[in-house]
């Protein structure tokens, strides 16, 4: 019998552990047809694999974004620290991929930040630091949620693979019984 604890996590359906294959097959539309049950389980397994690929891509993107946010936060904090000294700051920055140059930044009260989608806004240092800290916190919490989703998903994959093996083995056993019953007559 399938476990009644069918939950869902952020759109990922939970797999039910099958304790009794015969009861499981009787409860499905296949009514003891193991091949259609196996096809449905294989399809669910493919959905899990697709979801896993999407989550892994999101995880890679966030893991690449977090160091960029940290670096940007450090730069803004350094510019803010030099704000009251009145001296210019010399920085190296990337013009294009692999092409760097130096710039002299005069003391200023604001900084421009890329927000994405070709949008740049000018912020006072305090607001820029608050925004970057909030973005860093959101990125860390999103990464944590994705890691939890991946753990949940891997559990569902394991449960589904075990169910597939149990249904397949049950089907093989039933076919052997039928063959033996046919030769005993």
């Amino acid at each position: 019998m399938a476990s009644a604890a069918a939950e869902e996590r952020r759109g990922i359906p939970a797999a039910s552990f099958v304790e009794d294959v015969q009861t499981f097959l009787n409860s499905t539309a296949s009514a003891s047809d193991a091949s259609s049950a196996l096809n449905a389980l294989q399809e669910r397994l493919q959905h899990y694999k697709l979801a896993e690929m999407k989550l892994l891509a999101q995880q890679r993107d966030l893991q690449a974004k977090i160091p960029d946010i940290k670096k940007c936060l450090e730069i803004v904090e350094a510019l803010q620290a030099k704000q009251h000294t009145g001296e210019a700051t010399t920085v190296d920055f990337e013009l294009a991929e692999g092409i760097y140059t130096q710039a002299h930044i005069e003391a200023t009260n604001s900084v421009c930040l890329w927000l994405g989608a070709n949008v740049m806004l000018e912020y006072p240092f305090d607001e820029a630091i608050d925004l970057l800290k909030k973005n860093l916190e959101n990125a860390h919490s999103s990464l944590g949620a994705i890691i939890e989703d991946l753990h949940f998903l891997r559990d569902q994959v394991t449960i589904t693979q075990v169910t597939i093996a149990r249904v397949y083995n049950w089907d093989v056993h039933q076919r052997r019984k039928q063959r033996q019953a046919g030769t005993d007559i």
Side-chain angles (χ1 to χ4, degrees), residues 1 10 32 54 57 61 66-67 70 85 97 101 117 119 124 131 142 144 156 163 168-169 177 180:
M1 178 174 186
R10 294 195 337 148
S32 299
K54 288 179 181 179
D61 291 346
I66 288 173
K70 285 180 180 178
T85 63
E97 191 169 332
T101 189
V119 175
L131 176 67
S142 294
Q156 305 322 300
T163 301
Y168 179 79
N169 290 338
K177 281 169 95 177
Q180 287 176 352

Side-chain angles (χ1 to χ4, degrees), residues 56-124:
L56 287 171
Q58 290 174 357
Q59 181 184 24
R60 275 191 309 274
D61 291 346
L62 279 173
Q63 286 174 332
K65 184 186 269 188
I66 288 173
D68 291 343
I69 296 171
K70 285 180 180 178
K71 187 187 304 182
C72 190
L73 182 59
E74 289 172 7
I75 292 169
V76 172
E77 288 172 339
L79 288 173
Q80 184 183 34
K82 289 236 178 181
Q83 175 184 15
H84 299 296
T85 63
E87 63 183 70
T89 303
T90 302
V91 295
D92 293 327
F93 69 95
E94 190 172 17
L95 285 174
E97 191 169 332
I99 301 173
Y100 294 86
T101 189
Q102 284 191 338
H104 299 285
I105 302 172
E106 299 297 326
T108 181
N109 296 329
S110 63
V111 65
C112 294
L113 297 177
W114 283 107
L115 300 180
N118 293 325
V119 175
M120 178 186 276
L121 288 178
E122 184 175 1
Y123 289 95

Side-chain angles (χ1 to χ4, degrees), residues 7-14 48 51-52 55-56 58-59 62-63 138-157:
E7 299 174 11
E8 186 174 297
R9 178 174 172 83
R10 294 195 337 148
I12 303 168
Y48 287 146
E52 182 181 31
L55 286 172
L56 287 171
Q58 290 174 357
Q59 181 184 24
L62 279 173
Q63 286 174 332
N138 289 341
H140 279 296
S141 65
S142 294
L143 184 60
I146 287 172
I147 290 171
E148 288 176 14
D149 289 348
L150 281 167
H151 288 300
F152 176 78
L153 190 58
R154 287 181 181 136
D155 288 344
Q156 305 322 300
V157 166

